[in-house]
Amino acid sequence: MASDKNKSAQAERLVQLRRDKGFTAEQLAQTMTAAGAKVSRGAISNWERGTNGIVSSKLPTLARILGCSEGYLLRGELQNEASATTKSINGGSGKNNDSSAALPVDIQPNHTDQNQSKTVSTTSNAQKNSQHNPKSGHSMNTIKKSDKLQNVCYDIRGPLLQTANKMEAEGKRILKLNVGNPAPFGLEAPHEILRDVAMNLAEATGYSDSQGIFSARKAVLQYYQSKGLLSAVDVRDVYLGNGVSELIVMTMQALMNDGDEVLIPMPDYPLWTAAANLSGGTAVHYRCNEEDNWHPDIEDIKSKITSKTKGIVVINPNNPTGALYSDELLLQIIDVAKEHDLIIMADEIYDRILYDDTVHTPMSTLTDDVLVLSYNGLSKSHRIAGFRAGWMMVSGRKQHATDFIEGLDMLASMRLCSNVQGQYAIQTAMGGHQSMKDLTSKTGRLYKQREMAVTRLNAIKGISCTMPQGAFYCFPKIDPDVYPITDDMDFMMDLLIEENVLMVQGTGFNWDKPDHFRLVFLPNLHELEDAMDRLDRFFAKKRLQFGTD
């Protein structure tokens, strides 16, 4: 296995070659996929950070697109050195009929015949892929992570957070604006929920029904009925999960075959893309238009539908942009899904975090002609992220989806059940006073923090930000003429190291250009003011560095 130093050098060569060709990581991933070597932007980012080695099966295509030899990509060999190595391995013929022949064994592809699939190995290969165990005297094979993870990326808790944790261990105080976790910012859970969960602890020590306890599922159903649910739905159509995250992964595993596609917004909450790729499918990103307050581009959605498309993901209110979609727009998406017989997956977890007297419409209340999966939970609206209390409801046109629903039932049973203690929070939370309204009203804390964050961001030269109508995020744009950056993760890493502020770069949300970042405005006004002062200082230094002040 390559050393950390070799991986780092390999990553630097890849970054330089990509930049020399004028590609972004997203464009390189698209070009490779079009050439028959499917790869995600997340995988490219992992290679460029040295987190993963370059996948052997992708290497020939990658080298061809970047205009270099495979040996140069892997080991920094010059072209003539790589040719000499190839010539030697091919018995001096000078011909290389197998483009992988000169590769080190730890990235060798598998060779197969018509009857049997087997990996070609040699004594030297075994030595290269093993470590010596001094106690037993035997060599141990290196255990690697599954190839399924090569296309999976979740930068919200990625290298930036790892660096921040190391800095904290060294005694530095980091302002963490990377995760929408209300609790660390003093946004406490309603006492009524905590009391009811505590009172039911004795009833929550065993497994529940695999889909969840009846009272909680009934409360979820009644919530949507109060919103105008069109379809005939009962508690068997509601699945409780360890947060929406578990249910997203479960859905993709039940739905996607290898090569299937699902349309996901760009930018997105990256778990959707990761879950699609992990299931063997392909996340195809449709554009949301910043100039249209981050609303989805309907024509772009239509242009990306193929015979392999299984569904459309709609995140409303949106994470990371905070955009709230109109009924007119939602109906247009429904019409597209109906025309192409697609499932709609409606991620609506921020539906109760709204500003300016806006109203959210659940997609399940707009159609009974399309299969709609509605995802929601209490992590954000009731500030109990650690309880992992989420749900999914199946509604609409279910008649043609009995086999898929069987798959959901099977996966729900395999995990036995979700956290039972958290389930007892749901019935209480869904009724009575909704305390989030106090926080998002004009006199509320979140409203004031949103106003201050957006105002301060727009006051920075070269930074512009739309006003979010939901959630507690904003997605500012970095003017490339003022800040001509090519790697937004490096830019955010500079911010972390220089100003001790942790945020996530735009490409971490599968945005295709290095010109955005997400800011979480959960800190109180005093802490948020401090964070904005640090941003002011950081961007001013960068303008001096770039000569654009």
Side-chain angles (χ1 to χ4, degrees):
M1 211 166 60
S3 68
D4 289 343
K5 184 176 179 181
N6 289 339
K7 280 186 177 180
S8 177
Q10 184 184 111
E12 289 176 5
R13 287 192 294 274
L14 176 55
V15 170
Q16 190 59 53
L17 286 165
R18 173 176 64 75
R19 291 174 178 172
D20 289 346
K21 285 291 183 181
F23 286 124
T24 64
E26 176 73 17
Q27 289 168 337
L28 179 57
Q30 291 172 349
T31 303
M32 289 184 65
T33 298
K38 187 184 87 169
V39 69
S40 70
R41 183 211 60 82
I44 299 290
S45 295
N46 285 335
W47 298 346
E48 291 188 348
R49 293 196 296 269
T51 306
N52 297 333
I54 299 170
V55 179
S56 59
S57 60
K58 317 293 184 185
L59 183 60
T61 304
L62 179 62
R64 186 172 68 252
I65 290 171
L66 295 177
C68 68
S69 70
E70 296 169 22
Y72 178 74
L73 259 179
L74 294 172
R75 299 175 297 277
E77 295 173 349
L78 297 178
Q79 191 69 37
N80 59 345
E81 292 173 341
S83 300
T85 303
T86 302
K87 184 175 180 179
S88 172
I89 289 176
N90 284 304
S93 66
K95 295 180 180 179
N96 184 8
N97 295 322
D98 180 357
S99 63
S100 66
L103 304 183
V105 175
D106 60 340
I107 52 126
Q108 277 280 4
N110 290 343
H111 296 267
T112 61
D113 58 31
Q114 294 179 346
N115 301 316
Q116 182 180 17
S117 173
K118 63 181 181 179
T119 302
V120 177
S121 63
T122 66
T123 302
S124 60
N125 290 347
Q127 291 170 347
K128 206 157 191 174
N129 275 306
S130 64
Q131 294 178 345
H132 186 68
N133 184 343
K135 291 185 178 181
S136 66
H138 296 294
S139 293
M140 298 181 295
N141 288 332
T142 300
I143 300 174
K144 299 183 178 181
K145 60 178 166 290
S146 164
D147 286 345
K148 291 183 293 186
L149 291 172
Q150 292 289 351
N151 288 332
V152 174
C153 186
Y154 191 75
D155 281 347
I156 293 176
R157 293 180 180 264
L160 285 164
L161 178 60
Q162 293 166 14
T163 302
N165 289 339
K166 290 178 182 177
M167 292 171 68
E168 282 188 323
E170 295 167 357
K172 295 179 180 177
R173 181 178 176 273
I174 307 298
L175 277 172
K176 292 185 176 178
L177 308 182
N178 62 316
V179 178
N181 183 14
F185 300 103
L187 291 160
E188 298 177 351
H191 179 71
E192 185 181 12
I193 291 179
L194 301 180
R195 184 188 62 199
D196 281 15
V197 169
M199 288 179 62
N200 283 285
L201 283 177
E203 305 297 323
T205 56
Y207 297 131
S208 72
D209 181 282
S210 60
Q211 287 184 229
I213 60 176
F214 179 86
S215 60
R217 286 189 286 155
K218 187 70 172 179
V220 169
L221 174 59
Q222 290 173 338
Y223 174 74
Y224 288 100
Q225 288 173 334
S226 72
K227 296 281 186 177
L229 177 65
L230 296 180
S231 306
V233 177
D234 63 30
V235 292
R236 290 174 295 180
D237 295 313
V238 178
Y239 298 78
L240 304 187
N242 292 301
V244 168
S245 301
E246 180 188 43
L247 296 165
I248 289 172
V249 174
M250 196 169 87
T251 300
M252 292 300 175
Q253 294 290 341
L255 179 65
M256 307 287 280
N257 290 316
D258 289 351
D260 284 344
E261 298 174 353
V262 62
L263 297 178
I264 297 174
M266 178 178 69
D268 72 342
Y269 174 55
L271 180 63
W272 280 105
T273 294
N277 290 336
L278 184 62
S279 70
T282 300
V284 177
H285 294 100
Y286 64 84
R287 184 169 292 277
C288 296
N289 292 324
E290 186 169 16
E291 59 272 18
D292 188 26
N293 205 26
W294 290 112
H295 283 180
D297 186 327
I298 296 296
E299 294 306 314
D300 193 49
I301 291 175
K302 292 178 181 178
S303 72
K304 289 176 176 172
I305 294 173
T306 71
S307 60
K308 296 179 180 180
T309 308
K310 301 294 287 288
I312 304 174
V313 174
V314 180
I315 305 174
N316 178 39
N318 184 264
N319 176 10
T321 66
L324 179 68
Y325 303 156
S326 66
D327 288 5
E328 179 185 2
L329 177 63
L330 296 176
L331 287 168
Q332 290 179 41
I333 295 174
I334 287 169
D335 286 342
V336 173
K338 184 177 179 180
E339 179 182 353
H340 296 278
D341 197 22
L342 304 177
I343 296 174
I344 288 177
M345 288 157 272
D347 183 345
E348 299 170 336
I349 193 149
Y350 297 100
D351 70 331
R352 284 152 290 176
I353 307 176
L354 304 172
Y355 307 93
D356 307 319
D357 298 320
T358 52
V359 177
H360 174 270
T361 303
M363 294 196 80
S364 62
T365 67
L366 293 175
T367 182
D368 56 8
D369 295 327
V370 174
L371 183 66
V372 178
L373 307 181
S374 301
Y375 302 82
N376 212 321
L378 306 181
S379 293
K380 316 297 183 179
S381 61
H382 291 77
R383 288 84 70 201
I384 52 173
F387 282 39
R388 311 311 298 131
W391 62 82
M392 173 180 68
M393 185 185 72
V394 182
S395 66
R397 188 167 169 244
K398 294 179 286 186
Q399 302 89 333
H400 70 312
T402 54
D403 196 56
F404 165 62
I405 293 171
E406 265 185 38
L408 291 175
D409 291 340
M410 182 185 302
L411 291 171
S413 297
M414 286 170 61
R415 54 92 202 241
L416 298 179
C417 65
S418 67
N419 171 32
V420 182
Q421 291 87 351
Q423 293 182 38
Y424 276 101
I426 294 174
Q427 183 178 20
T428 302
M430 300 308 284
H433 176 66
Q434 297 296 304
S435 58
M436 181 53 70
K437 291 182 179 179
D438 299 331
L439 294 168
T440 57
S441 68
K442 286 188 177 181
T443 58
R445 172 180 162 178
L446 286 179
Y447 183 95
K448 293 176 180 177
Q449 289 163 197
R450 176 192 70 146
E451 295 294 304
M452 194 260 276
V454 173
T455 299
R456 288 290 302 270
L457 285 166
N458 282 321
I460 300 173
K461 181 179 179 180
I463 302 296
S464 58
C465 185
T466 61
M467 181 65 75
Q469 293 182 298
F472 27 68
Y473 314 109
C474 47
F475 200 59
K477 181 176 182 179
I478 305 169
D479 186 340
D481 291 332
V482 180
Y483 309 97
I485 62 174
T486 57
D487 190 319
D488 54 352
M489 176 177 280
D490 283 352
F491 197 65
M492 289 295 104
M493 190 68 78
D494 288 347
L495 172 64
L496 172 60
I497 293 170
E498 294 176 23
E499 295 292 345
N500 294 352
V501 176
L502 174 61
M503 291 190 294
V504 181
Q505 77 282 2
T507 56
F509 301 93
N510 293 296
W511 186 244
D512 62 349
K513 295 178 181 178
D515 60 358
H516 283 79
F517 60 95
R518 187 185 75 169
L519 183 143
V520 178
F521 54 82
L522 283 171
N524 63 46
L525 286 172
H526 175 72
E527 289 183 314
L528 196 58
E529 192 85 54
D530 180 25
M532 300 312 302
D533 288 344
R534 298 187 196 193
L535 283 180
D536 270 341
R537 190 163 56 236
F538 174 76
F539 281 108
K541 285 189 290 186
K542 288 298 180 181
R543 291 195 300 274
L544 286 174
Q545 177 184 327
F546 294 128
T548 56
D549 203 2

